[in-house]
């Protein structure tokens, strides 16, 4: 997975299929909640078979003040 800072509130997912006849869903902008986010990208072949890929993005919690004393 990927870990991002709290300031990151969304991610853009881009993907391409190897076969131009396949369909792709799950790309585009995805809002992130604090904690683990699972984004599903699904490829559907011309014959109807599907394969789902899961991208895990962990958004850190907001910092609770300056602790660098």
């Amino acid at each position: 997975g990927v870990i991002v800072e709290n300031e990151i509130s969304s991610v853009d997912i881009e993907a391409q299929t190897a076969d131009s006849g396949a369909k792709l869903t799950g790309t585009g902008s995805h809002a992130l909640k604090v904690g683990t986010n699972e984004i599903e990208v699904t490829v559907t072949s011309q014959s109807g078979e599907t394969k789902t890929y899961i991208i895990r993005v962990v958004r850190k919690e907001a910092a609770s003040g300056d602790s660098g004393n």
Side-chain angles (χ1 to χ4, degrees), residues 17-40:
T17 61
D19 179 353
S20 63
K23 294 180 183 176
L24 185 66
T25 60
T27 57
S29 184
H30 295 267
L32 298 176
K33 63 180 168 96
V34 171
T36 301
N37 298 266
E38 291 189 348
I39 301 167
E40 292 186 0

Side-chain angles (χ1 to χ4, degrees), residues 37-56:
N37 298 266
E38 291 189 348
I39 301 167
E40 292 186 0
V41 176
T42 302
V43 179
T44 304
S45 69
Q46 288 179 316
S47 65
E49 292 182 55
T50 62
K51 172 71 178 175
T52 300
Y53 300 88
I54 298 175
I55 301 167
R56 288 184 181 86

